[in-house]
Amino acid sequence: MSRGKLRCGIDEAGRGPLAGPVTAAAVVLPRRFPAARLNDSKQLTADEREETAALIRKRAAAWAVGWCSAAEIDAINIHRATLLAMWRALRGLRVEPDEVLIDGRFALPLAVPCRAIVKGDQKIPEIMAASIIAKTTRDRFMRRYARIEPAWCFHEHKGYATPSHRFLLRLHGPSPIHRRSFGGGGGNGAREC
């Protein structure tokens, strides 16, 4: 890697859901990556996210994912779990970055410069790429888990607090991946999936 300074972007997916892990991604992009294809993951359609994630996985200089389970979130709180997932993603990189940029308000205590950038997933290509990898990886996990525990329809709502999910949570109680510390319940108008 002779591109000069290695800049890593980090972002997470899954801070707000009632179920599932919080997932962080760390991405180092090469100099000639087609950054025009990037955006905040929330601004892309599901198909665009998957297509762009495949491009990132193929062309990134390095990328890695870190997780914190629902049980870890309950044990240490979502803020600490998010930072831990980010640290795990960074530790999983096969290169050591010279600088780390994190979406949000909180930086990690690292030996290299690390900055938190509010709305970084809308401004910084490496953070945009991390946003896309984190979201598509977490969504894939939730779709797979829906085959193990189909009663909660995780493939549809990915654990977010939709009226349908809240209804199913009241109907069936929590699954093994529900966050007990997040409460739940409420909502109406659900259908079976």
Side-chain angles (χ1 to χ4, degrees):
M1 301 235 23
S2 60
R3 109 177 183 143
K5 193 172 196 177
L6 290 180
R7 187 162 85 164
C8 175
I10 299 180
D11 199 4
E12 57 71 31
R15 274 184 70 96
L18 303 176
V22 62
T23 308
V27 177
V28 177
L29 295 176
R31 189 175 356 162
R32 293 199 168 113
F33 189 86
R37 300 273 307 269
L38 300 173
N39 201 344
D40 174 6
S41 66
K42 296 179 286 299
Q43 302 302 315
L44 301 173
T45 67
D47 287 343
E48 289 170 335
R49 272 194 305 268
E50 288 295 337
E51 184 179 303
T52 308
L55 177 69
I56 295 164
R57 288 183 181 104
K58 180 178 179 181
R59 305 256 319 258
W63 65 274
V65 174
W67 307 81
C68 263
S69 69
E72 287 177 301
I73 293 166
D74 288 338
I76 64 175
N77 80 38
I78 187 59
H79 172 69
R80 288 183 181 141
T82 299
L83 294 177
L84 180 56
M86 290 177 171
W87 181 80
R88 287 172 174 168
L90 185 60
R91 189 178 68 176
L93 288 175
R94 67 177 190 268
V95 301
E96 187 172 327
D98 300 304
E99 177 183 29
V100 175
L101 305 175
I102 297 177
D103 182 54
R105 298 185 185 282
F106 300 96
L108 295 171
L110 301 172
V112 298
C114 181
R115 287 187 296 139
I117 301 172
V118 175
K119 298 187 191 258
D121 57 359
Q122 298 172 18
K123 305 172 192 172
I124 309 294
E126 290 84 356
I127 298 176
M128 291 178 194
S131 168
I132 292 164
I133 294 295
K135 173 73 173 143
T136 56
T137 302
R138 186 182 186 281
D139 284 357
R140 191 171 299 147
F141 171 88
M142 296 304 288
R143 286 192 303 269
R144 280 193 209 124
Y145 195 82
R147 294 194 295 260
I148 297 167
E149 300 278 1
W152 288 273
C153 301
F154 290 126
H155 62 287
E156 292 181 359
H157 52 71
K158 313 299 186 293
Y160 287 89
T162 64
S164 176
H165 182 197
R166 287 180 180 275
F167 174 81
L168 293 168
L169 184 54
R170 280 198 331 269
L171 185 65
H172 302 296
S175 74
I177 65 165
H178 274 95
R179 302 170 183 180
R180 301 325 196 253
S181 58
F182 275 45
N188 56 27
R191 57 180 174 71
E192 296 223 9
C193 54

